[in-house]
Amino acid sequence: MIITCPHCGPRDLAEFTYQGDATLSRPEPASTDQEAWNAYVYDRANPAGEHREYWQHAGGCRKFLVVTRNTLTHAISGVEFAPATGSSRRKRS
Amino acid sequence: MTSHRISTGGRIDRDKPVAFTFDGKRYSGFEGDTLASALLASGVRLFGRSFKYHRPRGLLAAGYEEPNALVTVTTDGAREPNIRATELEIHDGLVAESQNRFPSLAYDLMAVNGLAGKVFSAGFYYKTFMGPVIGPLKGTRFWMFCETFIRRAAGLGAAGTTPDPSRYERMNAFCDVLVVGSGPSGLEAARKAAADGKRVILCETAASFGGTANWSGKDGEMFADTVLSGLKSEPNVQLLNRTTVWGYYDGNTLAALERVTDHVGRPRAGKPRHRHWVIRAGHVVIATGALERGFVFPGNDRPGVMLADSAQRFACEYGALPGRRMVVFANNDSAYQAAARLRERGAEIVAIVDVRPTVGDWAQSLAAEAGAETIPAHAVTGTSGGKSLTGVTIRGFDAETGNLSGSKRRIACDTLLVSGGWSPVLHLASQAGAKPVWSDKLHAFLPPESDGAWEAVGSAAGEGIEPPEPVFEIAATGGKAFVDFQHDVTADDVRLAHREGFQSVEHLKRYTTLGMATDQGKTANVPGMAIMAAALGKPIPEVGTTRFRPPFTGASLGALAAERYGDLRPERLTPMHDQHVAAGANMYAAGLWFRPESYNRPGETVEEAYVREARNVRRNVGIVDVSTLGKIDIQGPDAGEFLNRVYTNNFGSLPVNKARYGLMLREDGFALDDGTTWRLSEDRFLMTTTTANAGRVMQHMEFYLECVWPDLRVNLTSVTDQWAGAAVSGPKSRDVLAACVKLTKVDNDTLPFMGIVHGKIAGAPVMICRLSFSGERAYEVYCGAHHGPHVWDALMNAGASHDIQPYGLEALGTLRIEKGHVTGAEIDGRTTARDLHLDWMLSKKKPFIGSAMMDREGLTDPRRWTLVGVISLSGEKLRGGSHIVDGPAEKPGRSLGHITAMCYSPLYGKYIGLALVENGVARIGTRGFATDPARSKTHIPVEFVNHVFYDPKGGRMHG
């Protein structure tokens, strides 16, 4: 499998490490809502089809990427830097 | 035995004889021979015994599809079993043996298994050995009793146990077009792609390129030679022979195995035996050809029954005539070509038995060329002969109904050539995710429409295949009719599975083991499915086809491991490695790192050495290399805030030039890692992690900075390799530092517990933090990695008058066990801070990673496994991993936990350990047992004590 890192270009899967489901958003640090924490830590949709996942280019630029991957065909339809995806709250430009 | 060698033709070199041994007997062949062709030319018919029934078996095929002729090759004492004789190229000194026979191939005592055919039918293992015990000869326990005998009687070759001396390597390759198979279609595809300026890799599983062109006639051979010489001169074309593409993975990544030196025996220095290729291809051309099928009829496995095209290949490519008097049994025209070619090469073709009522003109003319009597509307119903074919029986046959009629006729022959149609080799297309489609014209599965990443060409796509009459089985009586030769699956087994309710082809496969042998049913799948379809009364495509999975043919584990094993494996050495080796250390592999286990003096055991080293730390002073600890430089205005969120305890308030012990949890509330972190300035920290978790902790923190808290202004840099570290521990440690550290004082006021100073040792800048893993007064001295050996030597010199001794991992472990400090053995992913008595580190003033989840009901249960100390009461040595139980050896009861670490404690003069034990704190002061029934078979009485054995108040390290 080849992932096209927006920084480094097309690279082999061996350079990347899977880092989990990118569709989740973490509750606020001080939140005591157990339901929300349980959902964040344990609940996974496991869709058959398009899925958004974190991959780190650990053997390259070390950036975290959000990869849109079809879990049935493994076809990759999008790769973006993680903070640029909306789950980000980056304030700096 | 008479020679079956043809005097001219073929790709063997008759000027280069090769001597080899098979089953202890010497034979000779020629360069270019396979073991199969050389033995065949020497008149050998019997190659092996079958899997369950130990029936004599000969060659069915000439290539990788061969199910019977598996041999074991021994090189320099290393055994490699289950190698196909049809692919094994002979070389001087080759030693091969047949398999699954006792005591010898010709006289196999296990052949009595054949008489017990009913017993070994489909599902025998499930019916007899699975499930509850009902009666004495049933159930899982009965299996455990029988397993040894059955494994000896039924099976393939035995694997060797000696280390493999060979070297293997891995290669990454990229190309625009990968062509798999170098027959005429593959060569043409490669030629076209090369002409378009594409980067091409062409893989051929056999020794010589050309595929069928090597045995199907002069025209083909000339075409192949011309195209090949053209390809060889192309700079963008890489030709790989002896290379099997065995796996097709996502994104057009393919795996191939190149057999680099198997054909010359002992590899030359520097050459690998096999090379594992990972090929990323823009486009894949599958030109893998098609495989001939046989028929299912009684006695179809007798040595002398061979696929027609394979016989042609032996005669034409290798100059080895499979027999002298041949009968052909066919349902299609391709066998007539084989008959004519074999006649030309010197065989007598007695008759061509064809299931079709009429035979076309082209076939008629080929039959005439072969000088054979054509017998249409007939089928072979049986074979005779013992370990070698002497004749066949035929009867009238109606291909429409499958009915036999008329009287039996016997024809004497030594070879029966069978041709029951062709199956395109679509394994790679199937692996690529394609579902094969059934062709009603070719009676075979064809590759479907491609998604564009690959294409199938030539006979792999069904082009040029002679359409057969759809006859798969001749339902005659009189003996076993085999579908899968390698796993001894008969037509009756398939029908029995159907009667017992198996409908899906995937279930059929698993129940009967059809197609699950090392050949993955290359010659068996389609006939097996046809018989199942007939039993179900459904057309074949409705029964389905099985998905093919990698590997296409076996890939050596050595090649897959490649440089991860042996002399090419990477090693991580600390800057002081040479000092340790010079001091006599046993170096111990911890992950990729090499660390001193202990510094044995002459005559000392490891235990004596570490006890001496640990005792010296408590009495005088010791020094240990801690360079392997993970080190992360954390910088930025929000570094303190970031650490507050990452660690369970507070770091924002840590003063500059102070260190603090920190604990991290995972999001789910379990402990992740621990270590000390030093504040070097307002916006800069140096974090240390455990050696094993260095990468993981880095990744963990990077995730939060990038994906969760991108607003925090913090940068992380791994500096594990930039700093060399040495811990100086013991009551005299301060004296050692005082003797060599310049530019700073090291007294208790300047450098209190957890304080940090900067200075120089022997001219090299150092950073010293006073912290203790051993429980003694101790200091960690860090310097730039290149100064490491220099500073180490200076510390050793300064310590000489204080009896300094280096200590290794064993002594380090002993000291920390006595002190009750935890490591990765206790922070094992299943323990919480409370389990490890680290709840004092859980801040209540701030949220941190894991704080929301750590107080869940199950994680605060007092009955959880908690950390305790154990002391061996019998004086026996405890074993790490031993289970803690309540009862004596006869009646131990259930496991209550396990020992995580053990040592001989110089302090107690006893074996002690740390353990995670159910309801551990409540057990302190009570007794139990540490049991290790599988390894050391010890059952040792222990007393449970507080996990801190030594100086619980910490006066020694604070003083």
Side-chain angles (χ1 to χ4, degrees):
Chain A
M1 204 157 92
I2 306 271
I3 295 177
T4 304
C5 171
H7 186 265
C8 306
R11 297 298 185 92
D12 190 73
L13 177 67
E15 295 185 11
F16 297 85
T17 47
Y18 179 71
Q19 291 285 309
D21 191 333
T23 64
L24 305 162
S25 55
R26 193 177 188 269
E28 285 302 313
S31 163
T32 54
D33 180 349
Q34 275 302 312
E35 287 294 312
W37 280 107
N38 271 325
Y40 175 67
V41 173
Y42 292 111
D43 293 352
R44 296 294 181 272
N46 193 22
E50 288 232 317
H51 191 40
R52 286 157 60 80
E53 328 175 303
Y54 286 120
W55 288 79
Q56 187 188 18
H57 193 189
C61 60
R62 291 196 75 84
K63 292 296 281 183
F64 277 77
L65 312 175
V66 172
V67 174
T68 307
R69 184 177 69 96
N70 187 311
T71 58
L72 294 174
T73 63
H74 297 187
I76 291 172
S77 54
V79 185
E80 306 157 282
F81 287 127
T85 60
S87 63
S88 142
R89 287 174 291 128
R90 183 183 283 270
K91 286 166 190 160
R92 294 174 292 149
S93 57
Chain B
M1 287 182 186
T2 53
S3 173
H4 285 240
R5 184 66 78 183
I6 305 164
S7 55
T8 57
R11 292 205 173 237
I12 49 166
D13 188 343
R14 289 177 179 77
D15 295 329
K16 290 185 181 157
V18 174
F20 64 96
T21 308
F22 178 63
D23 276 348
K25 196 176 159 196
R26 294 183 60 82
Y27 292 90
S28 73
F30 295 118
E31 201 174 287
D33 260 325
T34 62
L35 180 68
S37 69
L39 288 174
L40 200 60
S42 308
V44 174
R45 307 294 294 269
L46 182 58
F47 276 77
R49 289 279 175 171
S50 74
F51 185 68
K52 277 196 291 195
Y53 304 121
H54 290 252
R55 288 166 71 102
R57 291 279 168 82
L59 295 165
L60 178 71
Y64 57 75
E65 74 273 32
E66 169 59 29
N68 294 326
L70 301 182
V71 299
T72 298
V73 174
T74 308
T75 313
D76 294 334
R79 290 167 59 88
E80 185 167 17
N82 305 334
I83 298 176
R84 283 171 291 277
T86 48
E87 290 189 292
L88 177 60
E89 293 172 68
I90 58 167
H91 53 80
D92 272 319
L94 171 72
V95 178
E97 281 171 57
S98 59
Q99 299 180 167
N100 201 29
R101 78 285 191 269
F102 178 82
S104 78
L105 190 53
Y107 304 98
D108 185 344
L109 295 176
M110 298 291 186
V112 294
N113 282 1
L115 303 175
K118 285 260 157 30
V119 176
F120 284 116
S121 59
F124 160 69
Y125 290 93
Y126 296 112
K127 288 169 192 164
T128 312
F129 296 119
M130 295 293 158
V133 181
I134 307 162
L137 300 180
K138 286 259 182 208
T140 314
R141 228 175 270 164
F142 183 49
W143 164 250
M144 290 161 84
F145 170 74
C146 296
E147 185 180 3
T148 330
F149 306 104
I150 288 176
R151 289 221 188 274
R152 193 179 303 157
L156 300 170
T161 51
T162 52
D164 182 351
S166 309
R167 219 173 113 163
Y168 298 89
E169 66 184 35
R170 185 165 53 147
M171 186 78 99
N172 286 299
F174 301 83
C175 62
D176 298 315
V177 179
L178 169 67
V179 181
V180 187
S182 71
S185 308
L187 286 175
E188 178 58 19
R191 191 193 61 76
K192 263 200 258 168
D196 290 348
K198 303 269 172 58
R199 289 177 306 162
V200 178
I201 296 178
L202 174 64
C203 293
E204 167 56 51
T205 190
S208 40
F209 294 99
T212 55
N214 289 326
W215 65 87
S216 62
K218 273 275 165 269
D219 296 349
E221 218 170 304
M222 278 172 58
F223 164 80
D225 288 344
T226 313
V227 176
L228 257 179
S229 57
L231 289 175
K232 276 178 188 156
S233 63
E234 291 278 354
N236 279 341
V237 176
Q238 186 162 22
L239 298 171
L240 296 171
N241 60 336
R242 300 187 177 94
T243 303
T244 308
V245 178
W246 57 260
Y248 194 146
Y249 297 94
D250 292 333
N252 267 14
T253 303
L254 293 98
L257 182 80
E258 181 186 6
R259 291 168 296 277
V260 184
T261 52
D262 277 352
H263 62 292
V264 293
R266 280 186 186 78
R268 272 172 297 155
K271 285 262 189 181
R273 177 173 171 239
H274 292 166
R275 188 176 283 136
H276 172 49
W277 286 81
V278 179
I279 304 170
R280 284 101 181 160
H283 187 71
V284 179
V285 177
I286 299 174
T288 44
L291 293 175
E292 200 167 17
R293 313 188 287 250
F295 291 99
V296 182
F297 60 91
N300 63 343
D301 66 328
R302 198 174 304 283
V305 179
M306 186 181 277
L307 294 168
D309 185 64
S310 300
Q312 182 182 344
R313 182 174 179 188
F314 277 122
C316 299
E317 186 174 4
Y318 301 107
L321 207 55
R324 304 203 176 279
R325 220 181 124 76
M326 300 177 169
V327 170
V328 179
F329 178 26
N331 65 1
N332 69 90
D333 285 356
S334 71
Y336 289 74
Q337 275 177 293
R341 291 278 287 160
L342 283 157
R343 174 74 193 90
E344 194 184 299
R345 300 293 278 157
E348 182 192 350
I349 312 295
V350 190
I352 301 179
V353 181
D354 200 316
V355 297
R356 297 174 292 182
T358 53
V359 177
D361 293 344
W362 183 59
Q364 289 284 8
S365 68
L366 286 166
E369 236 178 86
E373 176 194 355
T374 313
I375 313 176
H378 273 70
V380 174
T381 57
T383 60
S384 54
K387 293 189 255 309
S388 183
L389 186 75
T390 54
V392 298
T393 314
I394 67 168
R395 283 186 76 189
F397 180 77
D398 184 338
E400 282 288 315
T401 61
N403 291 337
L404 292 163
S405 60
S407 55
K408 290 180 183 173
R409 173 180 163 193
R410 187 175 185 280
I411 307 174
C413 60
D414 60 12
T415 307
L416 175 67
L417 307 180
V418 288
S419 179
W422 292 82
S423 302
V425 179
L426 37 80
H427 297 62
L428 289 178
S430 171
Q431 289 179 24
K435 195 166 178 243
V437 288
W438 179 257
S439 160
D440 280 326
K441 178 164 167 274
L442 301 178
H443 300 284
F445 286 103
L446 298 181
E449 280 292 303
S450 155
D451 61 359
W454 56 271
E455 66 183 305
V457 299
S459 41
E463 292 159 18
I465 288 181
E466 298 294 338
E469 188 70 26
V471 171
F472 300 94
E473 184 190 9
I474 313 303
T477 51
K480 289 189 170 64
F482 285 91
V483 181
D484 184 325
F485 286 50
Q486 202 171 90
H487 259 172
D488 265 2
V489 179
T490 66
D492 286 340
D493 288 332
V494 176
R495 279 187 281 270
L496 177 65
H498 165 251
R499 284 202 303 280
E500 293 183 353
F502 290 88
Q503 307 247 329
S504 139
V505 67
E506 291 291 344
H507 292 161
L508 168 82
K509 209 177 130 171
R510 281 154 185 79
Y511 191 56
T512 60
T513 73
L514 172 79
M516 291 175 73
T518 67
D519 66 347
Q520 290 190 24
K522 289 193 175 64
T523 54
N525 284 332
V526 172
M529 224 168 299
I531 293 169
M532 187 68 174
L536 288 165
K538 284 184 184 172
I540 292 175
E542 281 181 32
V543 179
T545 180
T546 61
R547 279 282 287 276
F548 294 101
R549 296 184 179 85
F552 174 69
T553 53
S556 54
L557 294 176
L560 298 181
E563 78 287 348
R564 298 178 191 89
Y565 177 83
D567 56 353
L568 293 177
R569 184 176 186 264
E571 292 172 353
R572 290 182 87 180
L573 307 180
T574 75
M576 287 82 92
H577 182 81
D578 292 345
Q579 265 81 354
H580 305 319
V581 172
N586 299 319
M587 298 309 286
Y588 173 88
L592 294 179
W593 284 109
F594 279 78
R595 304 181 66 182
E597 182 184 26
S598 58
Y599 299 78
N600 292 24
R601 291 177 176 173
E604 260 184 351
T605 64
V606 169
E607 185 170 299
E608 285 163 352
Y610 83 70
V611 168
R612 167 182 52 74
E613 291 165 14
R615 193 173 275 140
N616 190 58
V617 171
R618 298 259 184 257
R619 279 187 193 156
N620 300 306
V621 59
I623 181 168
V624 62
D625 186 349
V626 294
S627 306
T628 63
L629 289 178
K631 292 175 280 291
I632 300 169
D633 199 327
I634 301 170
Q635 296 190 36
D638 298 324
E641 170 60 20
F642 176 62
L643 288 176
N644 262 351
R645 299 184 189 183
V646 166
Y647 276 128
T648 63
N649 43 343
N650 203 325
F651 273 78
S653 62
L654 183 67
V656 173
N657 284 331
K658 279 283 191 182
R660 187 165 284 168
Y661 175 58
L663 175 71
M664 293 178 198
L665 306 186
R666 300 191 309 226
E667 227 24 300
D668 62 5
F670 287 85
L672 169 66
D673 198 56
D674 68 342
T676 56
T677 287
W678 314 7
R679 188 163 211 165
L680 301 180
S681 67
E682 202 48 48
D683 58 1
R684 184 178 178 200
F685 293 80
L686 179 68
M687 172 184 282
T688 65
T689 74
T690 55
T691 300
N693 273 338
R696 194 163 165 221
V697 168
M698 182 74 179
Q699 217 157 30
H700 174 76
M701 294 198 297
E702 283 174 328
F703 173 76
Y704 286 95
L705 279 182
E706 287 234 7
C707 303
V708 185
W709 305 312
D711 49 313
L712 290 184
R713 291 161 299 168
V714 178
N715 266 308
L716 306 175
T717 312
S718 168
V719 291
T720 302
D721 295 308
Q722 276 66 32
W723 291 101
V728 182
S729 328
K732 296 183 185 169
S733 56
R734 188 183 288 146
D735 302 332
V736 175
L737 292 191
C740 63
V741 177
K742 308 285 183 232
L743 305 181
T744 175
K745 289 194 278 187
V746 292
D747 61 282
N748 197 39
D749 290 338
T750 317
L751 187 52
F753 188 63
M754 287 295 182
I756 298 169
V757 296
H758 299 264
K760 280 191 171 182
I761 293 180
V766 295
M767 187 161 69
I768 304 170
C769 179
R770 184 171 163 193
L771 51 88
S772 176
F773 195 50
S774 59
E776 298 300 329
R777 176 190 298 151
Y779 305 84
E780 280 187 9
V781 180
Y782 278 25
C783 62
H786 293 287
H787 291 142
H790 179 67
V791 170
W792 177 274
D793 287 344
L795 287 165
M796 286 294 289
N797 286 336
S801 56
H802 302 287
D803 299 314
I804 196 168
Q805 288 179 17
Y807 63 101
L809 277 184
E810 290 293 330
L812 184 80
T814 299
L815 296 163
R816 75 98 183 172
I817 291 170
E818 288 180 339
K819 185 65 188 165
H821 281 311
V822 295
T823 65
E826 291 80 27
I827 303 181
D828 65 356
R830 297 173 290 185
T831 47
T832 65
R834 287 186 192 85
D835 299 340
L836 304 173
H837 311 297
L838 298 174
D839 32 333
W840 59 272
M841 298 177 72
L842 303 174
S843 168
K844 292 189 174 59
K845 293 182 186 144
K846 53 149 196 168
F848 49 86
I849 295 170
S851 60
M853 297 293 271
M854 69 183 185
D855 293 329
R856 288 176 292 154
E857 200 178 353
L859 302 190
T860 52
D861 189 329
R863 289 166 301 174
R864 286 181 59 80
W865 290 13
T866 42
L867 186 68
V868 293
V870 290
I871 300 173
S872 167
L873 296 174
S874 63
E876 289 168 278
K877 181 177 177 173
L878 298 168
R879 307 277 167 164
S882 295
H883 284 268
I884 300 295
V885 292
D886 263 338
E890 316 81 71
K891 206 167 181 274
R894 69 185 176 88
S895 174
L896 303 170
H898 67 264
I899 293 186
T900 58
M902 60 67 60
C903 66
Y904 179 84
S905 164
L907 210 63
Y908 277 68
K910 285 178 179 165
Y911 286 100
I912 66 168
L914 294 174
L916 290 164
V917 182
E918 187 180 299
N919 211 358
V921 175
R923 286 178 198 273
I924 287 173
T926 70
R927 293 180 173 193
F929 296 91
T931 189
D932 186 32
R935 296 173 304 169
S936 59
K937 308 201 188 320
T938 50
H939 193 88
I940 302 169
V942 294
E943 182 180 345
F944 301 110
V945 297
N946 187 288
H947 65 287
V948 184
F949 292 84
Y950 181 65
D951 188 27
K953 293 228 155 58
R956 297 203 43 112
M957 60 186 188
H958 290 98

